[in-house]
Amino acid sequence: MSNAITLIQFKGEARVDSRLLAKRLGNQHKAIMALIERYIAKFKRFGALPFQMEKPTAGSAGGRPERYALLNEDQS
């Protein structure tokens, strides 16, 4: 099993999706987002902290759109 975390490009910068980071660390995404919200000022010291929303996939049971953060290397 590889220890690599998949990166995505956001405005020309490599970022880590907070959902993938939570999964990789064995935590719930809800807990990771709570920590990010609690310490948002500290995260922003390491650069911009963009948030995204993703709608549930077609054919799923529905639900609310999911909010997630795109963290740069220093933030993650």
Side-chain angles (χ1 to χ4, degrees):
M1 186 168 139
S2 172
N3 287 332
I5 295 176
T6 304
L7 301 176
I8 59 170
Q9 289 293 316
F10 180 79
K11 295 187 179 181
E13 186 177 14
R15 296 280 179 159
V16 175
D17 184 323
S18 59
R19 298 170 295 181
L20 297 175
L21 188 61
K23 184 177 180 179
R24 197 68 162 134
L25 295 173
N27 290 310
Q28 291 184 347
H29 184 246
K30 182 178 178 179
I32 297 293
M33 286 300 291
L35 284 172
I36 291 170
E37 290 291 341
R38 184 174 182 181
Y39 297 105
I40 196 164
K42 292 184 180 198
F43 276 92
K44 287 184 176 182
R45 288 183 195 163
F46 295 103
L49 182 58
F51 290 93
Q52 300 288 312
M53 296 289 284
E54 182 174 85
K55 294 181 182 180
T57 57
S60 68
R64 292 184 172 186
E66 184 175 23
R67 184 171 183 245
Y68 60 97
L70 295 174
L71 306 167
N72 66 24
E73 182 179 6
D74 292 331
Q75 292 163 337
S76 58

